[in-house]
Amino acid sequence: MEPEAERGGGTAVAGKLRVFLGAAPGVGKTYAMLREGRRLYGEGLDVVVGLVETYGRRGTEEQLGDLPVLPRRTVSYRGTELTELDLGALLARRPALALVDELAHTDVPGGRNEKRWQDVRELLDAGIDVATTLNIQHLESLNDVVEQITGVAQRETIPDEVVRAADRIELVDLSPQALRARMAQGEIYAPDRIDVALGHYFRAGNLGALRELALLWLADRVEEELADYRARHGIRAPWETKERILVALNGAPQGEHLIRRGARTATRMHGDLLGVHVRLDDGTAEREPPGLAAQRALLRELHGGYVEVSGGDVARALVDFARTESATQILLGPTSRSRLRELVSGSVINRVIRLAGPIDVRVLPPPEPGLLTVPPAPRRRRPALVPVRRRRLAWLLGPAGAVALTWALSPTRDSLGLSGVLLCLLLVVAGTARLGGLLPAAGSTAAGAPAADYFFTTPWRSLTVERGADLAALLVFLAVAGVISHLIDGLTRRSQQADRSRAEAAVLTRLAGETVESGPRVLSDLVAELRQVFGLDGAAVLVRAGEALWQPAASAGVEVPSRPDEASFSVDLGDGAVLVLRGAPLTEEDTRLLGPYVTQLKLARERERLAAQASAAEVLAHTDAMHTALLEAVGKDLRAPLAAVRREAERLPDPAEERIDAEVERMERLVANLLDLSRLRAGVMPVVLRPTAVAEVVRAAADGLVGVRIDLGAGLPRVLADAGLLERALADVLVSGGTAAVAVDAGVVAGRVDVRVTVHGGEAVAVEPTGLAVVRGFVEAMNGELAVEEAPGGGTAYVISLARAVA
């Protein structure tokens, strides 16, 4: 930042705003702002600290250095003296740069402004440059998102446009692990707040999400600035600063294939995915294509956007929108127009390619049917399944064609004869059977025989047959036509069975190959693929969330069942999960192919469960590491005051010195035990289990203690334990008895060895002593158990149960 004189002499020039943005408290925003202020101050710039909150952080306080600090204004509010930024004094001082911390702060009522950002605005209007700090959670547009992430509602917010108007925004970044380490070392909050903060707001997941939120918000602002720059300079060609994949959608079945390909490309390139549908503005009321709703839903699942634009020319509207959005690629599917329509109206694909200019245009082929859809299984002992369109065309052309052919050949009856026309009719029947199946062929036969009788038998143009030979020829025609139709229908059925077998093999091969290559698939991908393979309206995996409540774990399609009783087919996946399908009924062949998908779904659910457990274990590991770091820091900080207490105790009379020395020693032992326990849980301190003699360990633990009676008896078996840990656990229990009489005995109970330490006298403890939690941790680390009971005759019994060592 330059001094005001260099920015325009005596003219009133608005000041420049510089924001140090952070994802969470403690990342070092104030530190960075003060460091930059000191650098500019050293270069001769008039820098003044208007208001800075150091919160007692040593590093931040050191950064203040020799910077001039403006005294704060004292405000009395509800009987409390509070300090605020002295805006009047700062305006009168008129520095070149003012450092004002916490931009989203709410001022104490009664001042000039309600919010600190309004104070900063006055400084900027006065021509004073301002450097300030802000956390991402205080932005108004992100307030609800931050609350969802952290569970904490932010009461102090600032309009986004205030921050977006800044001349410079710097992100002060720190990884979640580094920030949590700073927190554990006491560099951010007071020690009594550290555990609560690490377990709530400063969880690793929260910090990672907030960090990503800050990066995305800052990236959006950079993108806006880039768009403004291009608009000011009239730049229309796309700049490939970020990949934007545009998918053209018209509701055709291959649209889902385009979306998935576009999503994979966008993910690999860390880009954006956008689906576009062009509506014609020719004045007609265009109905929405039937597949468009499902494609919108798929875009949402894949985190893509959807936009509808209108235009008289589909290609131009698509390319104009791509330029507006700075798209780098346009994905098109194969054309559905006929050759005749392309000749009349032109090709949309060719026009997009000509108009796109520097934008990449990719025309994807249709998905291979054997890999993405499985044809329906042919029905046994029934006519082959033929597409409805072909069947209707066969019914239209077959019977009418047979009659028309007979009429057309009637002038040649003398030369052709009845047998000749019947052979021609057999060709019509065979063609009809191949086109539409058995039933349309039967219709052609039924229409062709009377037509042949009418035009080619005597008496002419009547349905009467005089000659027996003609009647026999007609009957033979009916029989041969039936046989031919049946044979062709059987061949069609075999062909359909072969197509389905190839499709099933391709699906199973792909499932097996992908499982071997990358392990179990993602649940949502499997459900979406299953719906597409079987041509279903909807599919979902429902998980029981209550007595009659179901929650979808993954779903695909438009008509997704919300309960098992709404599905046309369901499969139990175990552990309260059900696969539900809605659509055409599944055949026996379909259920056979569904089996591998069910297995894959179970593997995917198991993988998600294991991933959740691994994530929880990782969180626990981070928590244990933080606790260990915290305990080590506390241990280091406690040793110095304990040593000071011991030195001061040496000046006291002997009885007092002994008592204090004993308590100090007890405190040192507790700190050491806590550190060792944290190391045990973190896996840093190994536990070596081996056959151990209980008597030797008990005597070593009781060495030097007065009033301990040991009665272990003979023949006590060895236990599986770590001798060092067991000795420390027993020593802590023995010390907890103080001056009371303590008895130690042991015996075999239910196949285990119980070591009982009885502290006689007084009442049984209602709450475990503080050090007993450490003892319990040591015992459990050896796969043992610790119980605290009321001793017969009064007192407390501590029972350590350990496994017997195998001889």
Side-chain angles (χ1 to χ4, degrees):
M1 295 185 181
E2 306 89 358
E4 185 179 352
E6 298 178 6
R7 299 198 308 259
T11 59
V13 179
K16 295 181 179 180
L17 178 61
R18 182 173 180 178
V19 178
F20 291 84
L21 181 67
V27 297
K29 303 178 300 299
T30 305
Y31 183 96
M33 179 184 71
L34 290 174
R35 183 177 58 189
E36 180 65 10
R38 289 183 61 186
R39 184 186 70 81
L40 295 174
Y41 185 72
E43 294 177 358
L45 191 68
D46 184 13
V47 180
V48 170
V49 177
L51 186 143
V52 164
E53 299 288 357
T54 63
Y55 298 106
R57 298 168 189 168
R58 186 185 311 166
T60 307
E61 292 176 347
E62 291 175 353
Q63 282 300 316
L64 274 171
D66 55 350
L67 286 173
V69 179
L70 188 74
R72 299 191 183 191
R73 178 173 59 92
T74 302
V75 182
S76 179
Y77 180 68
R78 294 183 178 178
T80 304
E81 297 294 326
L82 303 173
T83 60
E84 283 288 0
L85 171 68
D86 194 340
L87 180 60
L90 192 56
L91 289 170
R93 171 70 171 71
R94 292 190 62 80
L97 173 64
L99 307 183
V100 181
D101 210 359
E102 297 187 355
L103 185 61
H105 172 76
T106 301
D107 292 345
V108 177
R112 295 174 59 161
N113 297 307
E114 180 182 356
K115 298 283 188 176
R116 184 165 293 165
W117 64 264
Q118 295 170 331
D119 296 339
V120 168
R121 178 174 289 177
E122 286 197 38
L123 294 172
L124 296 173
D125 292 342
I128 301 173
D129 291 347
V130 177
T132 186
T133 63
L134 181 72
N135 284 328
I136 194 69
Q137 66 262 29
H138 294 295
L139 288 170
E140 182 67 42
S141 65
L142 303 179
N143 191 26
D144 55 342
V145 181
V146 173
E147 184 176 357
Q148 291 175 4
I149 294 172
T150 64
V152 179
Q154 298 293 332
R155 290 175 294 181
E156 292 184 329
T157 59
I158 181 173
D160 286 46
E161 58 267 18
V162 175
V163 187
R164 289 186 184 276
D167 299 275
R168 185 172 177 181
I169 300 178
E170 294 184 20
L171 181 65
V172 182
D173 191 25
L174 196 64
S175 69
Q177 293 76 16
L179 184 56
R180 285 171 59 85
R182 288 192 63 196
M183 173 68 73
Q185 293 167 6
E187 297 181 12
I188 301 176
Y189 288 163
D192 58 340
R193 298 176 58 190
I194 293 177
D195 276 344
V196 176
L198 288 174
H200 292 81
Y201 194 92
F202 282 80
R203 291 198 299 266
N206 289 357
L207 296 177
L210 291 173
R211 186 188 189 196
E212 183 175 358
L213 203 62
L215 291 169
L216 290 174
W217 187 91
L218 197 59
D220 287 342
R221 182 181 182 272
V222 172
E223 188 174 339
E224 289 176 1
E225 291 181 349
L226 183 61
D228 291 342
Y229 177 85
R230 295 178 62 218
R232 288 195 306 269
H233 291 78
I235 301 173
R236 291 180 55 82
W239 285 358
E240 298 186 11
T241 55
K242 185 178 184 181
E243 289 290 335
R244 287 180 177 82
I245 314 299
L246 210 66
V247 179
L249 303 175
N250 59 1
Q254 62 267 20
E256 294 189 6
H257 176 57
L258 290 177
I259 293 171
R260 295 186 186 279
R261 285 286 298 272
R264 290 195 293 270
T265 303
T267 301
R268 286 195 299 267
M269 297 181 174
H270 304 285
D272 297 331
L273 174 66
L274 192 61
V276 181
H277 173 63
V278 179
R279 289 185 178 273
L280 293 175
D281 58 358
D282 53 3
T284 60
E286 181 186 357
R287 295 179 58 186
E288 180 176 287
L292 202 57
Q295 292 168 9
R296 282 198 300 265
L298 180 60
L299 275 168
R300 288 194 296 270
E301 292 178 12
L302 298 176
H303 307 291
Y306 175 79
V307 177
E308 288 189 3
V309 297
S310 60
D313 185 342
V314 174
R316 183 168 294 280
L318 188 63
V319 172
D320 288 346
F321 181 78
R323 288 200 180 103
T324 302
E325 292 296 319
S326 296
T328 56
Q329 293 186 35
I330 300 176
L331 298 190
L332 301 174
T335 181
S336 58
R337 293 184 172 186
S338 64
R339 293 293 179 88
L340 178 61
R341 188 178 176 189
E342 282 194 351
L343 289 174
V344 175
S345 304
S347 170
V348 174
I349 294 177
N350 291 338
R351 281 186 53 77
V352 170
I353 294 174
R354 285 197 299 269
L355 296 172
I359 304 175
D360 294 341
V361 179
R362 297 171 60 194
V363 182
L364 302 184
E368 188 176 342
L371 292 180
L372 290 179
T373 56
V374 174
R379 301 167 291 185
R380 296 177 181 176
R381 299 188 180 89
R382 298 181 64 184
L385 291 172
V386 179
V388 176
R389 186 176 179 182
R390 284 175 51 187
R391 190 163 60 247
R392 290 175 179 173
L393 186 62
W395 274 111
L396 178 65
L397 298 180
V403 174
L405 178 64
T406 307
W407 171 80
L409 294 175
S410 61
T412 65
R413 69 169 67 95
D414 294 334
S415 58
L416 186 62
L418 179 62
S419 58
V421 76
L422 291 179
L423 286 175
C424 294
L425 289 176
L426 284 178
L427 290 176
V428 175
V429 172
T432 306
R434 183 66 183 91
L435 177 63
L438 183 62
L439 295 180
S444 298
T445 304
D453 177 20
Y454 187 80
F455 289 106
F456 281 84
T457 63
T458 56
W460 313 119
R461 300 185 181 278
S462 71
L463 297 179
T464 303
V465 181
E466 287 183 346
R467 298 171 56 193
D470 292 342
L471 179 61
L474 289 173
L475 292 176
V476 171
F477 165 74
L478 291 174
V480 173
V483 171
I484 289 176
S485 300
H486 183 72
L487 289 175
I488 292 176
D489 184 76
L491 290 174
T492 303
R493 184 186 296 108
R494 298 295 183 274
S495 176
Q496 291 175 349
Q497 288 175 343
D499 290 342
R500 180 179 174 88
S501 298
R502 284 194 297 270
E504 289 183 1
V507 169
L508 294 176
T509 301
R510 188 176 73 258
L511 279 175
E514 290 175 349
T515 301
V516 171
E517 181 180 352
S518 58
R521 302 272 301 283
V522 179
L523 193 64
S524 58
D525 290 347
L526 276 170
V527 172
E529 182 179 312
L530 187 149
R531 184 194 74 83
Q532 190 170 9
V533 164
F534 291 100
L536 301 169
D537 298 329
V541 173
L542 303 180
V543 179
R544 186 180 291 277
E547 185 66 25
L549 298 176
W550 295 87
Q551 183 177 358
S555 61
V558 180
E559 300 180 7
V560 178
S562 58
R563 296 193 307 273
D565 54 7
E566 295 179 357
S568 56
F569 191 86
S570 62
V571 181
D572 185 11
L573 299 178
D575 296 331
V578 179
L579 170 66
V580 293
L581 309 175
R582 174 179 286 174
L586 299 184
T587 63
E588 181 180 349
E589 290 80 2
D590 291 333
T591 56
R592 185 178 65 246
L593 181 59
L594 186 63
Y597 275 102
V598 171
T599 302
Q600 287 287 324
L601 289 170
K602 291 179 179 179
L603 289 174
R605 292 199 71 239
E606 180 66 14
R607 185 182 187 182
E608 289 184 354
R609 185 183 65 81
L610 294 176
Q613 290 181 352
S615 178
E618 184 179 357
V619 172
L620 289 176
H622 282 301
T623 302
D624 286 342
M626 291 301 102
H627 286 172
T628 300
L630 176 61
L631 287 173
E632 289 179 352
V634 172
K636 292 177 182 178
D637 292 340
L638 281 177
R639 287 190 180 97
L642 287 176
V645 169
R646 178 167 285 169
R647 287 195 300 269
E648 291 298 326
E650 293 175 355
R651 303 177 185 178
L652 300 176
D654 289 343
E657 179 189 354
E658 292 177 359
R659 288 196 303 272
I660 294 175
D661 193 60
E663 292 299 323
V664 169
E665 185 177 351
R666 177 172 172 271
M667 181 65 72
E668 289 176 342
R669 177 192 291 268
L670 178 60
V671 171
N673 287 343
L674 284 173
L675 290 175
D676 287 342
L677 179 60
S678 66
R679 295 189 184 102
L680 275 175
R681 289 178 174 173
V684 178
M685 181 176 172
V687 179
V688 181
L689 301 180
R690 60 183 60 175
T692 303
V694 175
E696 296 177 3
V697 176
V698 170
R699 291 190 182 94
D703 186 30
L705 298 178
V706 181
V708 178
R709 180 174 59 83
I710 301 175
D711 184 13
L712 300 179
L716 189 66
R718 291 174 176 264
V719 297
L720 195 62
D722 186 307
L725 278 183
L726 181 58
E727 180 183 340
R728 292 180 62 177
L730 286 170
D732 287 343
V733 173
L734 293 173
V735 170
S736 67
T739 58
V742 179
V744 182
D745 61 89
V748 179
V749 178
R752 296 172 67 88
V753 177
D754 286 359
V755 181
R756 179 183 294 268
V757 179
T758 305
V759 180
H760 296 286
E763 299 180 352
V765 294
V767 180
E768 295 181 359
T770 304
L772 205 60
V774 179
V775 176
R776 186 182 301 280
F778 288 162
V779 173
E780 291 177 352
M782 297 182 289
N783 299 323
E785 298 175 358
L786 174 66
V788 182
E789 305 171 353
E790 183 178 356
T796 305
Y798 303 93
V799 182
I800 298 175
S801 179
L802 298 168
R804 294 178 59 175
V806 179

